[in-house]
mmCIF file of all heavy atoms in Angstrom:
data_model
loop_
_atom_site.group_PDB
_atom_site.id
_atom_site.type_symbol
_atom_site.label_atom_id
_atom_site.label_comp_id
_atom_site.label_asym_id
_atom_site.label_seq_id
_atom_site.Cartn_x
_atom_site.Cartn_y
_atom_site.Cartn_z
ATOM 1 N N LEU A 531 -7.814 39.274 67.396
ATOM 2 C CA LEU A 531 -7.316 40.019 68.555
ATOM 3 C C LEU A 531 -8.493 40.453 69.438
ATOM 4 O O LEU A 531 -9.567 40.789 68.929
ATOM 5 C CB LEU A 531 -6.518 41.227 68.090
ATOM 6 C CG LEU A 531 -5.214 40.923 67.329
ATOM 7 C CD1 LEU A 531 -4.601 42.232 66.865
ATOM 8 C CD2 LEU A 531 -4.243 40.164 68.222
ATOM 9 N N ASP A 532 -8.213 40.486 70.747
ATOM 10 C CA ASP A 532 -9.219 40.916 71.706
ATOM 11 C C ASP A 532 -9.213 42.431 71.793
ATOM 12 O O ASP A 532 -8.193 43.040 72.153
ATOM 13 C CB ASP A 532 -8.940 40.304 73.078
ATOM 14 C CG ASP A 532 -10.117 40.509 74.026
ATOM 15 O OD1 ASP A 532 -11.064 41.201 73.634
ATOM 16 O OD2 ASP A 532 -10.047 39.935 75.147
ATOM 17 N N ALA A 533 -10.321 43.104 71.482
ATOM 18 C CA ALA A 533 -10.392 44.579 71.444
ATOM 19 C C ALA A 533 -10.314 45.182 72.838
ATOM 20 O O ALA A 533 -10.015 46.369 72.976
ATOM 21 C CB ALA A 533 -11.659 45.011 70.729
ATOM 22 N N GLN A 534 -10.612 44.440 73.911
ATOM 23 C CA GLN A 534 -10.618 44.989 75.242
ATOM 24 C C GLN A 534 -9.198 45.211 75.786
ATOM 25 O O GLN A 534 -8.982 45.967 76.697
ATOM 26 C CB GLN A 534 -11.377 44.057 76.197
ATOM 27 C CG GLN A 534 -12.845 43.912 75.846
ATOM 28 C CD GLN A 534 -13.554 42.965 76.801
ATOM 29 O OE1 GLN A 534 -12.929 42.391 77.696
ATOM 30 N NE2 GLN A 534 -14.866 42.840 76.596
ATOM 31 N N HIS A 535 -8.223 44.506 75.201
ATOM 32 C CA HIS A 535 -6.849 44.654 75.701
ATOM 33 C C HIS A 535 -6.221 45.898 75.148
ATOM 34 O O HIS A 535 -6.341 46.181 73.961
ATOM 35 C CB HIS A 535 -6.031 43.423 75.336
ATOM 36 C CG HIS A 535 -6.538 42.185 76.032
ATOM 37 N ND1 HIS A 535 -6.263 40.922 75.535
ATOM 38 C CD2 HIS A 535 -7.303 42.016 77.141
ATOM 39 C CE1 HIS A 535 -6.842 40.029 76.330
ATOM 40 N NE2 HIS A 535 -7.483 40.689 77.301
ATOM 41 N N GLY A 536 -5.589 46.685 75.968
ATOM 42 C CA GLY A 536 -4.898 47.872 75.535
ATOM 43 C C GLY A 536 -3.535 47.581 74.963
ATOM 44 O O GLY A 536 -3.068 46.440 74.997
ATOM 45 N N PRO A 537 -2.829 48.650 74.540
ATOM 46 C CA PRO A 537 -1.526 48.406 73.929
ATOM 47 C C PRO A 537 -0.471 47.965 74.932
ATOM 48 O O PRO A 537 0.523 47.378 74.529
ATOM 49 C CB PRO A 537 -1.157 49.770 73.325
ATOM 50 C CG PRO A 537 -2.010 50.741 74.096
ATOM 51 C CD PRO A 537 -3.249 50.033 74.489
ATOM 52 N N ASN A 538 -0.707 48.231 76.234
ATOM 53 C CA ASN A 538 0.290 47.844 77.223
ATOM 54 C C ASN A 538 0.009 46.471 77.828
ATOM 55 O O ASN A 538 0.709 46.008 78.710
ATOM 56 C CB ASN A 538 0.337 48.878 78.344
ATOM 57 C CG ASN A 538 0.801 50.234 77.837
ATOM 58 O OD1 ASN A 538 1.625 50.275 76.926
ATOM 59 N ND2 ASN A 538 0.281 51.297 78.422
ATOM 60 N N ASP A 539 -1.068 45.831 77.391
ATOM 61 C CA ASP A 539 -1.410 44.514 77.919
ATOM 62 C C ASP A 539 -0.383 43.480 77.487
ATOM 63 O O ASP A 539 0.098 43.493 76.331
ATOM 64 C CB ASP A 539 -2.802 44.117 77.418
ATOM 65 C CG ASP A 539 -3.357 42.950 78.219
ATOM 66 O OD1 ASP A 539 -2.548 42.204 78.791
ATOM 67 O OD2 ASP A 539 -4.601 42.803 78.247
ATOM 68 N N GLU A 540 -0.055 42.598 78.396
ATOM 69 C CA GLU A 540 0.949 41.589 78.071
ATOM 70 C C GLU A 540 0.502 40.673 76.955
ATOM 71 O O GLU A 540 1.258 40.299 76.043
ATOM 72 C CB GLU A 540 1.275 40.764 79.326
ATOM 73 C CG GLU A 540 1.938 41.571 80.431
ATOM 74 C CD GLU A 540 2.215 40.730 81.621
ATOM 75 O OE1 GLU A 540 1.874 39.525 81.581
ATOM 76 O OE2 GLU A 540 2.816 41.243 82.584
ATOM 77 N N ASN A 541 -0.789 40.256 76.991
ATOM 78 C CA ASN A 541 -1.310 39.366 75.942
ATOM 79 C C ASN A 541 -1.289 40.075 74.596
ATOM 80 O O ASN A 541 -0.967 39.485 73.553
ATOM 81 C CB ASN A 541 -2.727 38.922 76.286
ATOM 82 C CG ASN A 541 -2.766 38.041 77.535
ATOM 83 O OD1 ASN A 541 -1.762 37.371 77.836
ATOM 84 N ND2 ASN A 541 -3.894 38.036 78.236
ATOM 85 N N ALA A 542 -1.660 41.378 74.666
ATOM 86 C CA ALA A 542 -1.667 42.131 73.386
ATOM 87 C C ALA A 542 -0.276 42.255 72.868
ATOM 88 O O ALA A 542 -0.023 42.166 71.662
ATOM 89 C CB ALA A 542 -2.279 43.511 73.638
ATOM 90 N N ALA A 543 0.693 42.465 73.768
ATOM 91 C CA ALA A 543 2.086 42.561 73.298
ATOM 92 C C ALA A 543 2.534 41.256 72.706
ATOM 93 O O ALA A 543 3.277 41.216 71.730
ATOM 94 C CB ALA A 543 2.975 42.973 74.479
ATOM 95 N N ASN A 545 0.629 39.040 71.237
ATOM 96 C CA ASN A 545 -0.018 38.827 69.943
ATOM 97 C C ASN A 545 0.595 39.704 68.873
ATOM 98 O O ASN A 545 0.529 39.409 67.679
ATOM 99 C CB ASN A 545 -1.521 39.155 70.055
ATOM 100 C CG ASN A 545 -2.242 38.120 70.926
ATOM 101 O OD1 ASN A 545 -1.779 36.984 71.048
ATOM 102 N ND2 ASN A 545 -3.321 38.553 71.544
#
Side-chain angles (χ1 to χ4, degrees):
L531 294 176
D532 191 354
Q534 297 179 358
H535 295 158
N538 297 326
D539 196 335
E540 295 181 357
N541 294 333
N545 292 334

